[in-house]
Amino acid sequence: MSEHYDILIENTQIVDGTGSAGFQGSLGIRGEKIVAVGALEGIADRVIDGRGKVTCPGFIDPHSHADVTLLKYPLAQNLLMQGVTTVIAGNCGMSLAPFDADKSSDILAALKQALGGTIDIPWRSFSEWLAVVEQTGASINYAPLVGHSMLRTATMGMNTHQEASEEQVKEMEILATEAMRSGAFGLSVGLDGSWPGAYANREELVRMAKVAGEYGGFFTPHTRFHQNQWPASRADEHGYGIYHGAMGEIFAGRYHGLLEAVEISRQANRVPVTIAHFTPAYIVPLPQPDYLAEAVARATLEEIIDPAWDEGLKIMFNVVAWGHHIGGMCPIIDSFFSFQLSLPAWLRSMKKEEFAVALGKPEFRNQVKELVYSGTFKFSMVNPVSEPYWMDNSRILECNQAEYVGRTVGEMARERRPDSIVEAVYEASLEVLFDIIHADPHAQWVHFVDMRHDRVLATFLQHHAASPCTDGFALSDQVRYEDGLFQYGLCPNYFSMFPHYIQEFVKEKGTLSLEEAVRKATSVPAREMLGLTDRGVIKEGVFADLVVFDYETLHGNDDYQHVTRPPEGIRQVLVNGKVAYENKQHTGVRSGRVLRRTA
């Protein structure tokens, strides 16, 4: 008798996620799982013609914030359209549980806003949160992490700009234990800027990491000084981009932050660590030649990551595998009103239209210039003091003055000061920016390259501990910047990162073979982070999370003005044996699962 399958993918190039050479064959799927691989004969309810296509495991996003928006956008169209079937979410210390509504009313308000303002928030514990996600249903698999910032606010309320007491740390340990017992795969911390975790001392962090390790989980830090920070001028000064500590950390902080991750692993009984969205340890001011950037990347691996492995520590890392990083189109003027920044009262009291008009006055421009060069101000993630060549990373996309559109601030600044690069960098760059805002308060720009890591990605991705990530949310294909949560704009990375990753590092640069690129995006996060052997590979008996794509046409969409357009080449995406995405359309299926750590 002929075998019967629910779905049969015929005559496809199978890249199985293990790194082994691809081979021609067919896949038989019954229920949620792959039941046969090879030269198959049989009948099926649905046959997918795989001729000329590649079939691989569904991509696993190892650093995601999809949990923040998963109840609002359960179809997660942006993830499925690029082949993502599983997210590891709750990163950077930010999970949606646990919390105490009485102690953390601001957190409750922020959660409601993130979820659209209309969704009830009945959960408090981590297990209750996971139950709500399961009841709602999603189109992707969600592997949860518990966030240290939520542990802190649930314990300390909004008074997190200080060290925790012994009693508070013990309470955090209880909450972390509940989360791990409920199925969390690990514990994340956010140690940058003025986040709650930045004020935790070493003992607190080690104790949190130990809880994760005790239950077979891992510890994943957004390390200190990942972004360029500036020292606070007062004990009560807090805000995005401001830190409390030694002034020298402006330069050495990123190096120390990466070393801290290794030290915590060592002190927390060798808990496995995955460093979030990895960047070079050594800050070399721009401009710099490509060979210097590559040397810095190699030094970071050879001086920090490799010695840790030689010692027997397991230190993984992920990178946003696109030079865009998470920059997207957004109004220029929004940088001057960001709620994340510690802004002066005179600016917070102004309306945006008033600000644009006032920029026509020289004395007001000087006042704003002093703010920009104060060290505590940022254009999105860019500090113009420590990154003076921000102007070359800033392109005007929309403006009512056509002569500005499509050009970088740097190009225009150099035209204004052709005989003095110093004046172009520090004077003309702001003149250009102020002129644009004054002419059009609604002008849009994008920071289109992350200067910290754009030229180091190939070196990082070749390392055995690396995997690619989006650092994004779950979104719909109709989402807009105005819908919120997008201080940096809507980035192409959120919709097209994995196709671009193969396009750039396999097809264009040859950095990785297709088999190795797929392995890093599938079985590496599945096995090395989550400890799962039934996902991230293609073989009999595993869950049928699959992507069928056309290798020749595969590429990402990098159009900032139409960022939600699907990437090219993705034909079908299956989640737990169901076709959830096909030919640039979501099928409406919600076959995703909440995955739980069981070891």
Side-chain angles (χ1 to χ4, degrees), residues 502-572:
I502 293 175
Q503 172 194 339
E504 178 176 357
F505 297 104
V506 178
K507 296 171 64 176
E508 296 176 358
K509 294 182 176 178
T511 302
L512 303 169
S513 67
L514 177 61
E515 289 83 356
E516 182 64 8
V518 168
R519 188 183 74 86
K520 286 178 174 292
T522 57
S523 67
V524 167
R527 295 186 177 187
E528 302 302 330
M529 295 177 65
L530 300 179
L532 299 178
T533 58
D534 56 4
R535 296 184 191 270
V537 295
I538 291 177
K539 65 178 183 178
E540 294 181 7
V542 306
F543 287 93
D545 297 335
L546 299 166
V547 183
V548 181
F549 64 89
D550 185 333
Y551 177 79
E552 297 301 326
T553 64
L554 186 71
H555 68 83
N557 166 32
D558 62 356
D559 184 347
Y560 287 104
Q561 292 168 290
H562 302 93
V563 71
T564 62
R565 288 178 180 170
E568 296 295 330
I570 301 290
R571 300 306 180 203
Q572 287 91 12

Side-chain angles (χ1 to χ4, degrees), residues 273-290:
V273 165
T274 297
I275 300 176
H277 35 57
F278 197 61
T279 54
Y282 309 98
I283 296 176
V284 179
L286 293 170
Q288 58 182 248
D290 289 349

Side-chain angles (χ1 to χ4, degrees), residues 75-385:
L75 298 184
Q77 288 102 322
N78 67 309
L79 295 169
L80 283 175
M81 70 171 62
Q82 60 178 301
V84 173
T85 58
T86 299
V87 295
I88 303 175
N91 281 285
C92 298
M94 298 181 289
S95 58
L96 269 70
F99 71 93
D100 185 316
D102 295 328
K103 292 181 180 178
S104 308
S105 58
D106 290 352
I107 297 293
L108 182 62
L111 287 179
K112 287 184 176 180
Q113 180 183 10
L115 297 173
T118 59
I119 297 176
D120 185 31
I121 301 180
W123 69 87
R124 294 298 181 267
S125 70
F126 203 80
S127 61
E128 290 170 344
W129 153 248
L130 296 184
V132 168
V133 177
E134 286 181 320
Q135 183 178 7
T136 302
S139 294
I140 56 172
N141 300 313
Y142 161 42
L145 303 172
V146 60
H148 176 238
S149 290
M150 290 300 279
L151 298 175
R152 277 199 133 225
T153 53
T155 302
M156 305 172 69
M158 304 311 295
N159 301 313
T160 57
H161 292 158
Q162 58 187 343
E163 291 189 2
S165 67
E166 173 62 21
E167 291 73 20
Q168 289 168 333
V169 174
K170 287 181 178 179
E171 187 174 348
M172 287 183 228
E173 288 175 316
I174 292 172
L175 293 173
T177 297
E178 187 274 333
M180 295 302 297
R181 287 177 173 172
S182 298
F185 285 88
L187 185 144
S188 75
V189 299
L191 303 177
D192 229 342
S194 289
W195 295 346
Y199 299 88
N201 60 28
R202 175 62 64 82
E203 180 185 359
E204 178 182 331
L205 296 174
V206 169
R207 287 168 67 173
M208 294 301 103
K210 283 182 176 179
V211 173
E214 180 182 350
Y215 289 90
F218 64 96
F219 178 73
T220 178
H222 171 133
T223 53
R224 298 186 201 271
F225 302 95
H226 171 75
Q227 300 160 11
N228 291 338
Q229 309 294 358
W230 202 256
S233 59
R234 308 183 313 274
D236 63 345
E237 185 181 30
H238 306 285
Y240 179 63
I242 299 173
Y243 73 91
H244 291 258
M247 183 171 291
E249 292 297 81
I250 296 174
F251 309 106
R254 197 185 300 165
Y255 171 74
H256 290 154
L258 293 174
L259 285 179
E260 181 181 37
V262 176
E263 292 166 354
I264 289 173
S265 175
R266 186 182 298 123
Q267 295 167 13
N269 302 324
R270 297 177 174 264
V271 63
V273 165
T274 297
I275 300 176
H277 35 57
F278 197 61
T279 54
Y282 309 98
I283 296 176
V284 179
L286 293 170
Q288 58 182 248
D290 289 349
Y291 64 80
L292 187 55
E294 182 180 351
V296 168
R298 288 201 313 270
T300 301
L301 297 172
E302 293 170 2
E303 299 297 324
I304 295 178
I305 301 301
D306 292 341
W309 280 88
D310 292 342
E311 183 185 337
L313 303 177
K314 185 176 183 179
I315 310 294
M316 307 294 293
F317 63 87
N318 47 62
V319 294
V320 180
W322 201 342
H324 292 316
H325 202 246
I326 60 171
M329 186 174 77
C330 55
I332 301 171
I333 203 169
D334 280 8
S335 290
F336 294 91
F337 291 88
S338 171
F339 71 89
Q340 298 183 87
L341 297 176
S342 177
L343 297 174
W346 59 264
L347 181 55
R348 289 201 178 276
S349 65
M350 296 184 76
K351 295 182 179 179
K352 292 180 181 180
E353 294 77 9
E354 294 173 337
F355 177 81
V357 171
L359 282 175
K361 301 176 181 179
E363 60 273 19
F364 185 74
R365 286 193 175 204
N366 288 333
Q367 188 176 8
V368 177
K369 180 180 176 181
E370 289 180 6
L371 170 64
V372 170
Y373 290 141
S374 67
T376 60
F377 179 85
K378 283 193 168 187
F379 295 124
S380 297
M381 292 187 293
V382 180
N383 188 316
V385 175

Side-chain angles (χ1 to χ4, degrees), residues 39-62:
L40 306 181
E41 294 183 2
I43 58 175
D45 297 336
R46 166 76 192 276
V47 175
I48 295 175
D49 185 358
R51 285 176 297 179
K53 309 296 188 300
V54 174
T55 300
C56 73
F59 302 131
I60 298 176
D61 188 351

Side-chain angles (χ1 to χ4, degrees), residues 56-71:
C56 73
F59 302 131
I60 298 176
D61 188 351
H63 184 95
S64 172
H65 296 285
D67 56 326
V68 175
T69 52
L70 197 54
L71 296 187

